[in-house]
Amino acid sequence: MQINTKLKNPGFLLFLFIFYLLFTLNVQAQSSSLLKLWYNQPANRWVEALPIGNGRLGAMVFGNPSQEKFQLNENTIWAGQPYRNDNPDAKEALPKVRQLIFAGKYKEAQDLVNRKFISRNSQGMPYQTVGNLDLSFPGHENFANYYRELNIETAVTSSRYDVDGVTYKREVFASFPDQVIILRITASKPGKINFTASMNRPAPVDISTEGNDKLIMSGVTGDCDSVKGAVKFQAQVKIITEGGSVSATNNNIIVNNANVATLYISIASSFKNYNDISANAGERANAYLQKALENDYEKALKEHIADYQRYFNRVSIDLGTTDSVKNPTDVRIEQFAKGNDPQLVALCFQFGRYLLISSSRPGGQPANLQGIWNDQLYPPWDSKYTVNINTEMNYWPSEITNLSEMKEPLIQMIRELSQTGKQTAKDMYGAEGWVLHHNTDIWRMNGPIDGSFWGMWPMGGAWFCQHLWEKYEFNGDSEYLKSVYPVMRSAVEFYLSFLVEEPQHKWLVVCPSVSPENSPAVHPESSIAAGTTMDNQLLFDLFTKTIKSAEILKTDKELVKKIKETLKRLPPMQIGQWGQLQEWMQDWDNENDKHRHVSHLYGLYPSSQISPYRTPELFSAAKTSLIARGDESTGWSMGWKVNLWARLLDGDHALKLITDQLTPSIQPRGRQKGGTYPNLFDAHPPFQIDGNFGFTAGVTEMLIQSHDGSIFVLPALPGIWKNGSIKGIRVRGGFEIESMEWENGEISKLVIKSNLGGNCRIRSYTKLRAEGKTSLKSAIGENQNPFYQTPRIKEPIISNKATLKDVKLKNTFIYDFETKPGEKYIFSKL
Ligand code: FUC
């Protein structure tokens, strides 16, 4: 037979051996650089272009040889100007709205809210694109050997191709130290670089040149609703070449016969803060540029990489590598569901961290619905801040994946909203404290928008305050806690004056409110409600965390007493007739409801009120609700469900959701669905960045959890991720999982560093033993570490029609050991 003859042939065997060597070498060569998105073709559409950013500046890079395009963003380019959008008519209508809700007249209540509460003057301002820098390279239409990548280990995107025997390369990065975007164009032969640079924006702008090598685009942001656009901005592009010539004609810059060209893109606006837009955009842009020009290219690149890696390198992950890594990224997304590509999960996990470092830096704006990347003037949902899930999800990975600094812009925004929201509380509800509804923008508007169905949700402040507390839980810095405590206290004050007694059980409830964007099947046309499950869960967290903060800071004794009394009167969670966790105060849930929001499961994740060990009935009910809600949904909804299945300790189901998320969003005939775009952007659709961040948080939550009294190692590992490791994850109480390795699904090595000292409690499916002098005791009773003391929730009310599904839990081992600040503790499998 042919095969046998071939195998006997020594020449063929040698060929096979060489082929094998080359193949393994190739895989090894790639494995040193697995943290890359790469493609064999330029980007045709925006969701194929590659994002770079330094928190303030962003660009989408297309890598097109003949028509290169940089779609540019700056995080303060928002339509409008300082404004407010409260509707003061609300105050008078509030008692009537409440009366209608308690009388079950939901449609009338919703109509009245639409007339009297929803903002009359503005539904929020859009975040806008700066515009584009276009480079046109004559004769580069026919190219060969094309390659394009985004290296998320260095935060540099590059492309290369051949034209007429010359290899051209482009390398682009957004530098935080230099505050500019830098592009370097090189060619393998001298004098071969020829292009024309121009700028444009899909709205009127002034374009001019300065000298022979500088392009300037100046503009003002757009109007929206009744608010006039007034943020001035300027983009400056300076081109420096080695060899050849640079000249300016007709508002274009032309480069001829250069050896190398370096472009510096500087953008600035007149925005100083949400209340002041009096800066000089041109002077600012020029100052950034002049400073950046002092640095030579190699040094700028080195400093950029060092700055980025200071954050990025804190965490590494290995879930295993298969043959799939030899495929370009777009192909891997297409094949993910059919094959086994755990490295793509690792890549997406790190891509979420890359996006957070690139879109949210101290001193800047928090990541909005699209981070900082948006090519439109009036993008979907204005690319602003939707705070009934989306903005919060953006920051889920921040503490756990060791990027605490990246949360600073969110914390600053919350501080500002607590100022602007005081007037909203007073003018709309005659209430104390501060309030935020379901959206905000760069102007920190707090009023309800978009219609009652979506906007009548006065809980934004309650959810945001969890993020203030969370930072303390991870870092233990009481000075920081002191600085944010007034914001938490003021949020509490709002609810203390806004809560109202409902007639049936005499519970204190938020009214009016909604369970975000969902309505019960019994009256699908109106979402308006009182005392929804999510409201009560959010208040439980806000109240208990504020009490804890006040106790730590030894302040506000009287207020603490009052909060404790109010806590007793909040509605408990309820388990309804089909064994589900009720979404509303009434048993209205429909088993066929597939709504993307899973608000009542907030108590399971991100909160930890629902626990397999402390509240098994609620745990079972939450699982029943989640199963009924289904898997496939919008991008962020699936991202949330990865976290929820991790909290339900079901790694295989969490991986199912990861698989749903990692399916191509763009389907045959151009239809789009929740999933992933070729550039790894998550698709609602359209692109929304929350899904990327939910993904990163979800993978972490599958591997390590720290709530519910202990650090749970490998709580929800999917069967298929047999061997792996993760390094640098942070957990509550100031501990860092310096490294965790597993083999055959079981922990093989665990290194924990303690930053704050105190008792460390570990829960594990694998029996552990300590190395060195550490004494590992079986844990009994409550964890003495204050960061792990969980407040007790009220007993749930269970419908007498409900049969609770039995949830089987795997046996775990729980250990305690005492730690000292700065010390490391090492464990292995017993
Ligand atoms: C919420 C969600 C939508 C979308 C929007 C930006 O309103 O319900 O799905 O994500 O925010």
Side-chain angles (χ1 to χ4, degrees), residues 457-476:
W457 186 73
M459 304 306 291
W463 199 341
F464 268 169
C465 284
Q466 314 306 324
H467 289 255
L468 301 180
W469 168 257
E470 187 196 46
K471 190 175 170 76
Y472 171 75
E473 270 190 305
F474 279 78
N475 299 326

Side-chain angles (χ1 to χ4, degrees), residues 369 381 386 388 390 517 596-597 636 684 688:
L369 282 176
W381 292 285
T386 310
N388 62 13
N390 316 86
E517 308 194 22
R596 60 194 179 283
H597 284 264
W636 62 257
H684 179 289
Q688 229 173 260

Side-chain angles (χ1 to χ4, degrees), residues 209-245:
T209 53
E210 193 184 284
N212 60 350
D213 60 0
K214 193 170 174 184
L215 199 53
I216 298 176
M217 179 169 79
S218 318
V220 182
T221 60
D223 309 337
C224 186
D225 303 332
S226 59
V227 187
K228 189 122 194 66
V231 179
K232 295 185 188 132
F233 62 89
Q234 195 171 95
Q236 304 188 352
V237 180
K238 172 99 172 171
I239 305 183
I240 293 177
T241 59
E242 287 169 26
S245 67

Side-chain angles (χ1 to χ4, degrees), residues 631-797:
D631 293 344
E632 282 186 49
S633 189
T634 59
W636 62 257
S637 176
M638 297 191 283
W640 194 349
K641 288 169 189 168
V642 176
N643 290 276
L644 289 166
W645 280 108
R647 284 282 172 98
L648 288 173
L649 308 179
D650 188 336
D652 288 329
H653 207 131
L655 182 60
K656 159 73 170 59
L657 262 305
I658 283 181
T659 309
D660 291 337
Q661 237 187 321
L662 281 181
T663 47
S665 165
I666 303 171
Q667 295 287 301
R669 287 184 295 280
R671 194 178 70 84
Q672 295 200 4
K673 61 174 199 138
T676 299
Y677 289 116
N679 64 359
L680 287 189
F681 270 172
D682 194 79
H684 179 289
F687 162 53
Q688 229 173 260
I689 206 162
D690 38 22
N692 287 99
F693 294 132
F695 183 101
T696 298
V699 172
T700 317
E701 211 61 27
M702 290 162 77
L703 302 177
I704 295 165
Q705 296 177 14
S706 69
H707 66 111
D708 201 12
S710 64
I711 301 169
F712 199 159
V713 288
L714 286 188
L717 186 73
I720 202 168
W721 297 352
K722 289 217 157 21
N723 305 314
S725 66
I726 189 160
K727 292 189 174 134
I729 293 301
R730 304 202 62 225
V731 296
R732 289 175 176 78
F735 299 107
E736 182 169 329
I737 310 298
E738 235 185 49
S739 75
M740 179 176 84
E741 293 164 30
W742 64 95
E743 279 167 29
N744 243 328
E746 293 193 304
I747 297 278
S748 52
K749 192 168 178 201
L750 180 65
V751 183
I752 298 183
K753 187 175 169 211
S754 170
N755 291 318
L756 303 171
N759 185 56
C760 185
R761 178 168 290 185
I762 312 178
R763 188 188 279 275
S764 160
Y765 295 124
T766 312
K767 260 192 182 172
L768 298 176
R769 79 185 152 81
E771 289 183 9
K773 284 183 279 173
T774 310
S775 96
L776 202 55
K777 296 177 294 214
S778 281
I780 17 172
E782 201 181 357
N783 189 345
Q784 290 310 301
N785 187 321
F787 290 95
Y788 284 87
Q789 284 164 5
T790 318
R792 207 171 286 280
I793 59 159
K794 269 192 181 175
E795 281 299 313
I797 297 181

Side-chain angles (χ1 to χ4, degrees), residues 46 58-60 62 69-74 77 127-134 181 198-203 205 207 217 233-235 265 267 374-377:
W46 193 81
M60 294 295 285
F62 283 66
K69 179 167 161 172
F70 300 87
Q71 184 270 311
L72 302 170
N73 288 106
E74 200 272 358
I77 312 289
Y127 173 59
Q128 301 196 310
T129 181
V130 170
N132 308 300
L133 167 66
D134 289 340
I181 293 169
S198 60
M199 294 198 87
N200 58 74
R201 183 176 205 244
V205 274
I207 313 246
M217 179 169 79
F233 62 89
Q234 195 171 95
I265 306 168
I267 312 169
N374 158 41
D375 65 338
Q376 298 174 41
L377 294 171

